[in-house]
Amino acid sequence: FFSAIQTSGFHRTPIEILNKKRITEQVHGLNINYLATRQLSFGSTVVFNHFDFPLIPGNKPYQFFEFKGKTNANGSVYGNYNWQGFLFFGEAAISQSGGTAGVVGLIKNLSPKVEFALIMRSYQKDFHTFRGTAFGENSRNINEKGIYWGFKYTLNKQLQLTGYYDSFSFPWLKYRINSPSNGQDYLVRVNFNPRSNVNIYAQIRKKTKDLNTVDHDTGRTIVLPSTKRIYVLSIAFNPTTHFNLKSRIQSSNFSHNDAKTSGIAFIQDVNVRVQAWSFSGRIAFFDTEGGENRQYAYERDVLYAFSIPAYSGRGVRNYILVQYRLGRKIDLWSRLARTNYYDRYAIGSGLETIEGNKLTELKFQLRYRLG
């Protein structure tokens, strides 16, 4: 049996090499979609998964309802309907275990200046899907209920206000949460465009979730709410179509059971395009306390790569990405990134340990078009 699927793509350590090509998965699927009218469409999807060894995740209490076995099946029906400016959408699904899941929502322009969205979801604790990516607070569609409200208000061409409020609950236990729990998440952002080549936005986000903690008096593990606040200020300046600058400052603070920590990052981006060459660079300074205050910021990368590293601890991170178009069919990319840490003398652990305080990443990519 196996307890988890490795998806990193790395084969560096003896364990990673040993696990290479050890599991075979077969996936069979069918989707039928019917466009009834310009306003109405609906369909159905069926997916079957089969492993050559059983998946047994563990025996922790929060894993009691997790998938166990070699085969799984999912079936769902969905639909979209436009009616008098309302877009209604929804999907209902069931897994082989008998667990069900559902998402329903609507989108509506309440006026020329106001847009509104509502999404409700429910994923039972024994609903199992390996590739489900429906809307939710969890990274997987399991053990969650919630309702989300979103809006956008456009005052004029220069000023817009956007935000959302999301209330969610987890009917069963979770990792680091020894009881059913709940939480709330809200965000408000103000966008200001004083000129066509300048964009400024300020954002605040607050999330409250239950987490395990140790009672100082009894030594027992109890569940108490935690609160995280995130603040972002971003300024983008595009003096020409070939040159732009973007400055960003983001900070956070986290409190749980009388313990408070914080983190901050200053980020400067430069992007330049000269004929067949494109250059993107960044310098970022960060100073954070604890894992809850890691600062996440999207980074440009080679084609089809997705990079949102966590800035954690104290240090400086730089990267430069170069792209060169060699004729109509050939593109070349090269990316060099380095993080200098000021709060450690070793990076990583075990066989992945790097002696020293510098982490360097180097990528090359070539694309050749056949057509």
Side-chain angles (χ1 to χ4, degrees), residues 11-164:
H11 304 102
R12 307 160 295 180
T13 65
I15 294 298
E16 290 176 346
I17 295 172
L18 182 66
N19 288 333
K20 183 179 180 181
K21 296 183 179 180
R22 295 297 299 274
I23 304 167
T24 299
E25 180 190 12
Q26 298 180 43
V27 183
H28 307 273
L30 174 68
N31 172 256
I32 300 174
N33 186 74
Y34 180 64
L35 184 61
T37 67
R38 294 180 60 183
Q39 290 77 31
L40 175 64
S41 65
F42 54 88
S44 179
T45 301
V46 179
V47 179
F48 299 92
N49 301 80
H50 176 77
F51 301 104
D52 54 350
F53 294 101
L55 170 60
I56 304 177
N59 57 3
K60 302 291 186 182
Y62 71 88
Q63 297 173 314
F64 185 81
F65 292 98
E66 291 284 351
F67 172 82
K68 301 176 181 68
K70 297 172 64 174
T71 62
N72 186 45
N74 294 99
S76 75
V77 292
Y78 62 88
N80 300 282
Y81 181 56
N82 272 297
W83 177 74
Q84 295 187 359
F86 285 89
L87 172 60
F88 297 93
F89 56 90
E91 182 174 11
I94 187 171
S95 64
Q96 182 174 290
S97 63
T100 60
V103 177
V104 294
L106 65 89
I107 300 173
K108 168 66 174 173
N109 288 342
L110 300 179
S111 74
K113 293 187 176 183
V114 180
E115 302 172 37
F116 172 77
L118 169 67
I119 303 175
M120 295 181 288
R121 75 266 190 193
S122 175
Y123 315 125
Q124 290 187 345
K125 57 183 179 294
D126 57 346
F127 176 74
H128 305 133
T129 175
F130 297 116
R131 292 174 176 82
T133 56
F135 183 88
E137 170 67 18
N138 282 331
S139 58
R140 299 181 300 135
N141 301 141
I142 186 173
N143 185 34
E144 180 179 344
K145 294 182 179 181
I147 181 170
Y148 167 96
W149 310 76
F151 75 93
K152 178 180 180 181
Y153 176 68
T154 302
L155 181 64
N156 50 48
K157 292 183 178 181
Q158 288 77 38
L159 191 62
Q160 300 90 35
L161 177 67
T162 59
Y164 68 77

Side-chain angles (χ1 to χ4, degrees), residues 9 48 130 140 160 189 192 195 200 218 232 249 338 356 371:
F48 299 92
F130 297 116
R140 299 181 300 135
Q160 300 90 35
R189 174 188 286 194
F192 179 53
R195 293 188 295 177
I200 303 171
T218 64
V232 179
I249 177 173
R338 166 167 283 194

Side-chain angles (χ1 to χ4, degrees), residues 77-350:
V77 292
Y78 62 88
N80 300 282
Y81 181 56
N82 272 297
W83 177 74
Q84 295 187 359
F86 285 89
L87 172 60
F88 297 93
F89 56 90
E91 182 174 11
I94 187 171
S95 64
Q96 182 174 290
S97 63
T100 60
V103 177
V104 294
L106 65 89
I107 300 173
K108 168 66 174 173
N109 288 342
L110 300 179
S111 74
K113 293 187 176 183
V114 180
E115 302 172 37
F116 172 77
L118 169 67
I119 303 175
M120 295 181 288
R121 75 266 190 193
S122 175
Y123 315 125
Q124 290 187 345
K125 57 183 179 294
D126 57 346
F127 176 74
H128 305 133
T129 175
F130 297 116
R131 292 174 176 82
T133 56
F135 183 88
E137 170 67 18
N138 282 331
S139 58
R140 299 181 300 135
N141 301 141
I142 186 173
N143 185 34
E144 180 179 344
K145 294 182 179 181
I147 181 170
Y148 167 96
W149 310 76
F151 75 93
K152 178 180 180 181
Y153 176 68
T154 302
L155 181 64
N156 50 48
K157 292 183 178 181
Q158 288 77 38
L159 191 62
Q160 300 90 35
L161 177 67
T162 59
Y164 68 77
Y165 175 78
D166 188 25
S167 176
F168 47 84
S169 64
F170 310 113
W172 184 244
L173 318 184
K174 286 169 53 69
Y175 176 67
R176 295 178 61 193
I177 308 176
N178 289 354
S179 71
S181 57
N182 56 68
Q184 300 84 37
D185 182 11
Y186 76 75
L187 178 146
V188 177
R189 174 188 286 194
V190 178
N191 288 279
F192 179 53
N193 303 291
R195 293 188 295 177
S196 61
N197 60 352
V198 177
N199 174 257
I200 303 171
Y201 76 81
Q203 174 180 297
I204 179 173
R205 181 182 180 187
K206 178 182 178 182
K207 179 183 285 190
T208 302
K209 294 176 66 174
D210 292 333
L211 285 178
N212 286 350
T213 189
V214 176
D215 189 292
H216 300 304
D217 298 326
T218 64
R220 295 174 54 196
T221 298
I222 58 175
V223 176
L224 292 176
S226 66
T227 301
K228 183 176 182 179
R229 295 177 176 86
I230 304 173
Y231 309 92
V232 179
L233 176 62
S234 173
I235 303 174
F237 177 49
N238 308 302
T240 70
T241 58
H242 301 286
F243 176 72
N244 66 75
L245 299 168
K246 186 175 182 179
S247 303
R248 178 183 174 108
I249 177 173
Q250 60 186 58
S251 66
S252 65
N253 58 69
F254 178 77
S255 59
H256 184 219
N257 194 23
D258 297 329
K260 296 182 179 181
T261 55
S262 61
I264 193 168
F266 301 90
I267 302 167
Q268 179 63 57
D269 292 330
V270 179
N271 302 297
V272 181
R273 191 168 72 249
V274 181
Q275 296 181 349
W277 293 88
S278 294
F279 303 90
S280 298
R282 165 175 292 180
I283 180 169
F285 302 90
F286 55 92
D287 186 353
T288 68
E289 299 176 295
E292 297 291 348
N293 288 294
R294 289 175 290 188
Q295 302 296 310
Y296 294 92
Y298 169 78
E299 294 183 350
R300 293 194 176 190
D301 211 320
V302 299
L303 184 67
Y304 304 131
F306 187 73
S307 179
I308 304 182
Y311 300 168
S312 180
R314 286 194 304 113
V316 177
R317 180 171 174 83
N318 308 273
Y319 79 82
I320 183 168
L321 171 66
V322 180
Q323 178 185 358
Y324 178 65
R325 174 158 291 182
L326 185 62
R328 188 176 64 87
K329 293 189 174 183
I330 299 177
D331 292 278
L332 302 170
W333 288 265
S334 178
R335 186 179 190 266
L336 176 65
R338 166 167 283 194
T339 306
N340 288 38
Y341 292 98
Y342 301 142
D343 59 347
R344 66 198 70 177
Y345 299 99
I347 303 171
S349 60

